[in-house]
Structure formats: C-alpha cells, structure tokens
C-alpha cells in the first residue's frame, strides 16, 4: 500500500500572516487618530473662543503686593480659586498662597502642560495678570490666569 501524502496547512498560515499584517498596519493608524482627537479636544477644552478686544495682560505678577498672611503647606500646588501674593520681583516672581483679600491675586484658571500665557486671553476681561511656570519637564509646565482683588 502506498503511503498517504501529508496534508498541507498553507491556508491556516496564510490567514495568520494576513491577520498579523492587518494588525501591524492598524495600530499606528489608530494611534495617530487618537493623538489627533486628543489634540483637537485639548485645543478646545474650555469651549470659548479668543476675544479680539481682550485687554493686554502683563506677562507676570507685579511686585510690591503686600504679604500679610502665613503660607500654606502646598505652596507649589496652585488651583482655581486660590489667592496668591508675589514675594519676588516682576522678573522672578515667588508666589505664595494666602487667604483671599484685598491686594491679592485670585487664580481664575490653571492651564497645565503649557507656557503659552496667551491662552488666558480667551477668558473674560477680569484677567489682570498671568504667571508662567516653565519646568524642565514640559508636562510640569503651567500657566495661571489671575485677577487682582
């Protein structure tokens, strides 16, 4: 009796190779699409459009603001609603949290991962100053949009 020829499994191998090629082509495309959606969502996250008649905002806090209160423990963690004073100069601001009162600056908005203070221009006119924190790690950068009280 003659030996039986082995059964070829080329159909299964071809399907596996095609599936692998499709996955390798889709992963970068899906990654790029996700990145593009994230960028678009980040650009319009506050739903406001910049005003063409926005006032000129000084680049940093002015100096000479009196500091009358004790600092809080988390001086570097400024959030919306916090009040601050500048204990440094206009060129080298040193911000400190204080209770809200006259001659303080209230944080209207904290914009993370950017040093673009022009993004505060989209806010209504009460913005009277901005503070830019530029860190060596870009993810730790932030801009504070401030209003003088």
């Amino acid at each position: 009796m003659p030996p039986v020829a082995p059964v070829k499994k080329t159909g299964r191998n071809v399907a596996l190779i095609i599936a692998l090629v499709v996955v390798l082509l889709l992963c970068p495309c899906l990654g790029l699409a996700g990145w593009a959606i994230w960028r678009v969502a980040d650009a319009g996250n506050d739903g406001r459009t910049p005003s063409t008649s926005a006032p000129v905002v000084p680049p940093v806090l002015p100096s000479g603001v009196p500091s009358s209160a004790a600092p809080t423990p988390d001086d570097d963690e400024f959030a919306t609603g916090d009040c601050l004073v500048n204990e440094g100069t206009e060129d080298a601001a040193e911000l400190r949290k204080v209770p809200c009162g006259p001659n303080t600056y209230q944080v209207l908005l904290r914009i993370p991962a950017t040093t673009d203070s022009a993004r505060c221009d989209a806010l209504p006119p009460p913005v009277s100053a901005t503070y830019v924190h530029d860190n060596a790690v870009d993810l730790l950068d932030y801009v504070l949009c401030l209003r003088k009280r």
Side-chain angles (χ1 to χ4, degrees):
M1 200 175 219
V4 178
V7 178
K8 294 184 179 181
K9 297 179 182 180
T10 58
R12 178 184 260 173
N13 290 341
V14 169
L16 186 61
I17 291 171
I18 290 174
L20 181 63
V21 168
V22 168
V23 167
L24 289 176
L25 289 175
L26 283 180
C27 284
C29 293
L30 292 175
L32 279 173
W35 177 79
I37 290 169
W38 177 74
R39 293 286 294 187
V40 168
D42 185 46
N45 63 354
D46 60 359
R48 299 180 185 167
T49 57
S51 171
T52 57
S53 63
V56 176
V57 179
V60 293
L61 282 174
S63 60
V65 176
S67 58
S68 59
T72 58
D74 296 322
D75 284 337
D76 291 338
E77 295 300 320
F78 304 123
T80 301
D82 288 345
C83 287
L84 314 170
V85 293
N86 181 14
E87 293 183 328
T89 64
E90 189 172 317
D91 294 327
E94 292 181 25
L95 301 182
R96 181 171 57 97
K97 278 192 218 179
V98 295
C100 293
N103 295 324
T104 62
Y105 286 86
Q106 184 175 14
V107 178
L108 298 176
L109 181 65
R110 177 185 170 124
I111 307 171
T114 186
T115 57
D116 183 12
S117 63
R119 291 182 66 181
C120 291
D121 293 344
L123 294 176
V127 173
S128 56
T130 60
Y131 172 77
V132 177
H133 177 78
D134 190 6
N135 194 305
V137 179
D138 288 342
L139 277 176
L140 300 177
D141 293 345
Y142 61 88
V143 172
L144 299 177
C145 304
L146 306 166
R147 174 182 55 137
K148 187 164 182 155
R149 298 194 81 185

